[in-house]
Structures are given as C-alpha cells and as structure tokens.
Amino acid sequence: MASVLCVGIATLDYVYAVPELPSQGTKYRATDLEVVGGGIAANAAVAVARLGGKASLLTRLGDDVTGQAIRAGLAADAVDLALSRAIGGCRSPVSAIMVDQAGERMIISYSDPAMPTEPDWLPQALSAETGAVLGDTRWEEGSLRLFRKARAAGIPAVLDGDRKPSDPGLLAAATHVAFSEVGLAEQTGLSDPRDALLSLGSGKAWLAVTAGERGVWMIDKGEVSHSPAFAVDVVDTLGAGDVWHGAFALALAEHQSERQAVRFASAAAAIKCTRFGGRKGAPTRTEVEQFLRERT
Amino acid sequence: MASVLCVGIATLDYVYAVPELPSQGTKYRATDLEVVGGGIAANAAVAVARLGGKASLLTRLGDDVTGQAIRAGLAADAVDLALSRAIGGCRSPVSAIMVDQAGERMIISYSDPAMPTEPDWLPQALSAETGAVLGDTRWEEGSLRLFRKARAAGIPAVLDGDRKPSDPGLLAAATHVAFSEVGLAEQTGLSDPRDALLSLGSGKAWLAVTAGERGVWMIDKGEVSHSPAFAVDVVDTLGAGDVWHGAFALALAEHQSERQAVRFASAAAAIKCTRFGGRKGAPTRTEVEQFLRERT
C-alpha cells in the first residue's frame, strides 16, 4: 500500500445553502447547513485513503471543540493524525461557505495568525514507507520543510499551487507543482495556461495547471501537452481540486508516470464533482478503476 | 428584582472580520474571528441580566456542541435556562456574520427546520415573579403562547418586530410591539415611520419603531410621538436592537412608563453601540444610570 504524507490545512466548514449568494450588508436566511471537515491538505488526505493509499496528515489545529470535530472526521476516514498537533491557546481553522442553487460558492476562511509556523515537532526523517509528500500553500513553512525531506529521500514532493506561494523557495523545493488557474495566473501574470507554463521555463519541477472541465495542461522538459477532462454532470465542485491533488500524489507514490497520474487524478476529481457534500464525494479505488475502464 | 421571561432564538455567531464584505463566488480570507453567543431573545436576556433584572430564556437548542457553547455563554451571563430545551437530533441555530472595516454587517443565519414548533414542555402558568414577557419572530408559536399567558396574568407582552410575523395573531396578542424599520415597512408597506404607525391604527397594543440614530417613534391611543436617540460614537451595532428590547421589557416589568422605558432602553442601546463584540457590549445598570444623568 503506497503512503502519502499530506502537509497543510484542515478546517471545519460551515456550508450554508442559500437561494442566492449574499452581496449586501443585510440579513440572509440559509435553507440548509452542513458542518463538514474541509481544507486543502485534509481533503487530499481523505482522497488518498479512499483510493486505497495510506494517508498521513501533518496539520496544526487549535485546542478547541472545532479541532476535535476536525480530528473526528479525519479519523473516520482512516487518516493518520499522529504527526498533527493541537496548539494550546490557538483556534482551529474554520470557514463559512455559502452555496447557491446553481452550485456557485463563496468561501470566507479564517486561520489563527497566532498559530506557530515552525513545525519543530516534526521527526528528523520521513518514515521509510512514505512514497510521496503533498503540500499546500496554507502552511508554507511546513510544506517547505517536508519537500526538502522528500527530495533528500528521492520521493515526489507535490505542491498544490491553488494560489501563488509567498515564499518562492516553495516552487524550487517541489518536484511537481500543479497550479489552479488562479494560482498560475498570480504566479506568472499570464492568463493563457500554455503561455504561463512556458514562461516558468524549464525549472527543476514538473509543472501543470488544472483547469476544471477544460482539462489539464502540463510541461515537462520544455514541452507543453494537454489532457482533456472527463465530461460529467457537475453537482458540486467543492473539494474537487483537493481530491485531484491527493489522487495525483498517490499515483506518483505508486510509481505511475505523470501522464498516468494526471489521468487517474482527473477521473477521481470528475467522480467527486458528480456528488454533493465536498470531500464526502471522494471516490474509492474501485470506482475510479471502473470509471477509467468505461471511459477508455 | 424585576423578572423578564424572554422567548425566541439563541444562536452561536461566527463573526468574521473582513477587509470588505464578500460579493462574489470566490475565496475570501478573514483577518479575525470571534465566536460569540447571539440571537434576538438570547441577547435581550443578557441585557436584562446586565441591567440588574432576573432573566429567563425559553429557547430551543440542538443536542450538539454548538448548543453546549450557547448554554455556557448564557450561563456565564446569569441567564436562567431552566425553561430551555436541547432537542434530540436537531442542530442548534448558527450564523456566519461578516463585518467589514466600516462596521457594516452581513448575516447568514441557519435554524434547523426540523425543530419542533410547539412548546409543549412549557409549564401551564408563568411563575408568579415574572414581570414581563419578551418574544421575537424567530419562534412565533413560542412567543404567541407566552404572550397569551402574560395577558392573562396582566403583565406586559413585548414583541420584537424585527421583521413581519407570519402569524398576524402575534401582533394581536402582544401588549407592546417595537418594530425595526424593516419590520414596520414589511408590515405596513409604508416607509415613513409616522405614516406606518398611524396605518396600524388604534389596535390594542402600544406600538413603536426603533430607527437607530434617528430615534424612536411611538403611537399610543392614536397619538404619534418621537424620542430622539442619544448621540454616540458608533463602533458596533451588532445586537443593539436586542439590547434595546431587553432593556425596554425590563423597564416595563419595573413599572416604568412607556416613555421612561423608551428612554432607558435607548440609553442602554446607545452605550452598547460604543463597544465592539455584539452583546458583550451590553451595559450594566450603573452605566445606564450614569449615562442618563450625564445626558439630562
């Protein structure tokens, strides 16, 4: 069983169903509420576990009931939290997410600025079984530290570039960077995915951008190629990007090629989009393999 | 010590500080978060207790950690919760409140529609010490039941008309109705406070509308009069209307005249507006009395 260590944010999401997204300084009534675990790295870890990998999460929580709810949700999905910590006096990350009837989303997220940035409780070496590290931009010091250990161990270090990292060193440390469209545009100032990837040139990392239903562009040794998305009826995109990155890192940990890994990740994310409830819709291995057989 | 029974909603508010109010289907980062108890009836009960009254709250919570947090906050403010209930299988009311740098607010609130509406656990009679009942429009069946008991006992039944009640019987049952401007406009279709009050005619209830810094209009036996607001430096209006209603009901329970009660309530609400943190800013009796001496 391949093992992926995910490092970054875990949140508790309060998902409010609203007739339309709020836009004014007034009162709105929600028609439904779901309180579910979320967060980029945490969602990716859940995806890894569902897909049959061993998922470990390194995240910083507060010592509050929110943190307890986050832990309980992750434990129920078989995510190993041995490396995560509850920080005394800090509040756990929490988000308000408003979803309208068309599935459009507004996310307001809070992370405690008093949360210590140094992962000084981290063991000196990765466990021998770790097959890949996946990091997000919500805890750059943590991702950077783990990416360096991954490189030293000769395993993939995958960055989820959902936005431009503050520390340029993070891009340099990763072996694989998969941006969101927003993240790549922030990083390069260019809106065309192909131009943007080319402008980042031939660094040391394999680079890609995930563009939802428009598929994935990737660049390797100066060559840009494209992998189309699977056409599905989209119900809920919340967490789909996180599922993509978790599946991609797991495939690399299993020694799949990048091209195979992109296809595997795109299938996992496509299935997730057909189901409501954020990461609750992350698919199992069997579901992805059957989907890929049907679509080939 | 005069006693006020408040009936209606108690919430847990997640108050997000944001550079500007969100308006689009995208991601926003909050700079600060406060998790505080809120809700119309609950805030009014806290105001009553701070002002030296005995405050009881009759509210429906879920059997969840949110409900525990709501209870703990109210108990810390000496609000008696003996008549409140945790309903099995239901979720407690919760709100996301975004506050921008200018103090403008956006509120998204959720109440579990599965919450039973009948207050069948209610004792057959009000306790002998109850001096007034205050009800909100968030639990109309509860307010209606208590208003009838108040009328039968010959004590004031005060409705916080922050919006138009679904059941017209609620207006008929109350002895005193203090609308918000929005509530009165919804009720009458008229935007001018004076015209709107006159259009409701000479019902059985004393009627008023609170209009923030523009003061309070009230009608009694067909005569409209106005009470100006106290000029203060406004920092935070969250919960100010609820504090007004709690103070007003307490003053009536103490046998103050309506005119005195409006002045007392307006002073309490004015002080609250000078302090950040929602109902945390509700003043003590000493503070209100000193404020009234200074402003006379």
Side-chain angles (χ1 to χ4, degrees):
Chain A
M1 187 191 278
S3 176
V4 177
L5 172 57
C6 301
V7 54
I9 198 164
T11 70
L12 194 62
D13 292 344
Y14 286 73
V15 186
Y16 295 84
V18 288
E20 51 194 78
L21 292 185
S23 58
Q24 309 273 333
T26 183
K27 291 186 185 181
Y28 296 85
R29 276 192 267 185
T31 55
D32 200 1
L33 173 71
E34 269 207 76
V35 183
V36 290
I40 297 171
N43 288 349
V46 167
V48 167
R50 295 268 180 96
L51 291 168
K54 182 173 178 327
S56 299
L57 179 65
L58 178 53
T59 195
R60 302 165 301 167
L61 300 171
D63 57 344
D64 49 13
V65 293
T66 303
Q68 290 163 21
I70 293 170
R71 276 179 177 271
L74 289 164
D77 256 312
V79 173
D80 180 355
L81 293 164
L83 290 175
S84 291
R85 286 288 159 95
I87 313 289
C90 283
R91 285 175 294 184
S92 297
V94 61
S95 296
I97 302 180
M98 274 59 76
V99 183
D100 70 14
Q101 287 174 318
E104 201 183 359
R105 266 151 190 75
M106 167 183 284
I107 302 180
I108 294 95
S109 55
Y110 172 76
S111 293
D112 193 333
M115 201 69 93
T117 55
E118 282 306 309
D120 44 17
W121 67 83
L122 197 68
Q124 284 306 304
L126 296 175
S127 82
E129 64 174 10
T130 307
V133 166
L134 171 63
D136 68 27
T137 62
R138 296 300 188 273
W139 183 24
E140 297 195 5
E141 294 82 357
S143 293
L144 186 61
R145 172 99 54 126
L146 272 290
F147 285 178
R148 287 180 175 154
K149 289 188 190 299
R151 274 198 178 266
I155 60 170
V158 182
L159 174 64
D160 183 339
D162 88 307
R163 66 185 189 208
K164 178 185 173 178
S166 307
D167 179 358
L170 203 52
L171 287 181
T175 62
H176 296 74
V177 183
F179 288 101
S180 70
E181 290 181 279
V182 168
L184 184 60
E186 285 177 353
Q187 183 68 44
T188 63
L190 298 170
S191 59
D192 181 77
R194 194 176 286 266
D195 294 346
L197 287 177
L198 283 168
S199 80
L200 289 178
S202 48
K204 284 182 288 184
W206 177 94
L207 301 175
V209 56
T210 62
E213 61 190 4
R214 296 195 297 134
V216 176
W217 281 269
M218 60 204 106
I219 183 168
D220 195 15
K221 303 187 186 75
E223 286 276 323
V224 177
S225 61
H226 179 256
S227 175
F230 296 98
V232 290
D233 289 330
V234 173
V235 172
D236 174 17
T237 62
L238 183 63
D242 310 330
V243 167
W244 192 98
H245 287 85
F248 180 73
L250 176 62
L252 293 184
E254 293 173 350
H255 307 295
Q256 296 187 38
S257 70
E258 281 87 358
R259 193 141 196 107
Q260 286 175 307
V262 165
R263 194 168 155 75
F264 180 75
S266 298
I271 296 170
K272 149 57 237 152
C273 288
T274 64
R275 300 170 179 169
F276 190 74
R279 76 181 182 206
K280 281 189 199 171
T284 64
R285 185 69 174 227
T286 308
E287 289 169 335
V288 172
E289 288 176 350
Q290 184 175 341
F291 183 92
L292 282 170
R293 275 196 303 275
E294 289 169 3
R295 300 290 180 124
T296 305
Chain B
M1 186 191 281
S3 175
V4 177
L5 172 56
C6 301
V7 53
I9 198 166
T11 71
L12 194 63
D13 292 344
Y14 286 73
V15 186
Y16 295 84
V18 287
E20 51 195 78
L21 292 185
S23 58
Q24 310 273 333
T26 184
K27 291 186 186 181
Y28 296 85
R29 276 191 267 182
T31 55
D32 201 1
L33 172 72
E34 269 208 76
V35 184
V36 291
I40 296 171
N43 287 349
V46 167
V48 167
R50 295 268 180 96
L51 291 167
K54 182 173 178 326
S56 298
L57 179 66
L58 179 53
T59 194
R60 302 165 300 166
L61 300 171
D63 58 345
D64 50 13
V65 292
T66 303
Q68 291 163 21
I70 293 171
R71 276 180 178 271
L74 289 164
D77 257 312
V79 173
D80 180 354
L81 294 164
L83 290 175
S84 292
R85 285 291 159 96
I87 313 290
C90 283
R91 285 174 294 184
S92 298
V94 61
S95 296
I97 302 181
M98 274 60 75
V99 183
D100 71 13
Q101 288 175 319
E104 203 183 359
R105 269 154 188 73
M106 168 184 283
I107 302 180
I108 295 96
S109 56
Y110 172 78
S111 292
D112 193 335
M115 202 68 93
T117 55
E118 281 307 309
D120 44 18
W121 68 82
L122 198 67
Q124 286 306 306
L126 296 176
S127 82
E129 64 174 10
T130 308
V133 166
L134 171 63
D136 68 27
T137 62
R138 296 300 188 275
W139 184 22
E140 296 194 6
E141 295 83 356
S143 292
L144 186 61
R145 172 101 51 127
L146 271 290
F147 285 178
R148 286 178 176 156
K149 289 189 191 296
R151 274 199 178 268
I155 60 170
V158 182
L159 174 64
D160 182 339
D162 87 308
R163 65 184 190 208
K164 177 185 175 177
S166 307
D167 179 359
L170 203 52
L171 287 181
T175 62
H176 297 73
V177 182
F179 288 101
S180 70
E181 290 181 280
V182 168
L184 183 60
E186 286 177 354
Q187 183 68 44
T188 62
L190 299 170
S191 60
D192 181 79
R194 192 176 287 266
D195 294 346
L197 286 177
L198 283 168
S199 79
L200 289 178
S202 47
K204 283 183 288 184
W206 177 93
L207 301 175
V209 55
T210 61
E213 61 190 3
R214 297 196 294 133
V216 176
W217 282 269
M218 61 203 107
I219 182 168
D220 196 15
K221 304 185 184 74
E223 285 278 323
V224 177
S225 62
H226 179 255
S227 175
F230 295 98
V232 289
D233 289 329
V234 173
V235 171
D236 175 17
T237 61
L238 183 64
D242 310 330
V243 167
W244 192 97
H245 288 85
F248 180 72
L250 176 63
L252 293 184
E254 293 172 350
H255 307 293
Q256 296 187 38
S257 70
E258 281 87 357
R259 195 145 194 103
Q260 285 174 307
V262 165
R263 193 168 156 75
F264 179 75
S266 299
I271 296 170
K272 148 61 230 150
C273 287
T274 63
R275 299 170 180 170
F276 191 73
R279 77 182 182 204
K280 281 190 200 171
T284 64
R285 186 69 174 227
T286 309
E287 288 169 336
V288 172
E289 288 177 348
Q290 184 176 340
F291 183 92
L292 283 170
R293 274 196 302 276
E294 288 169 4
R295 299 291 180 126
T296 305

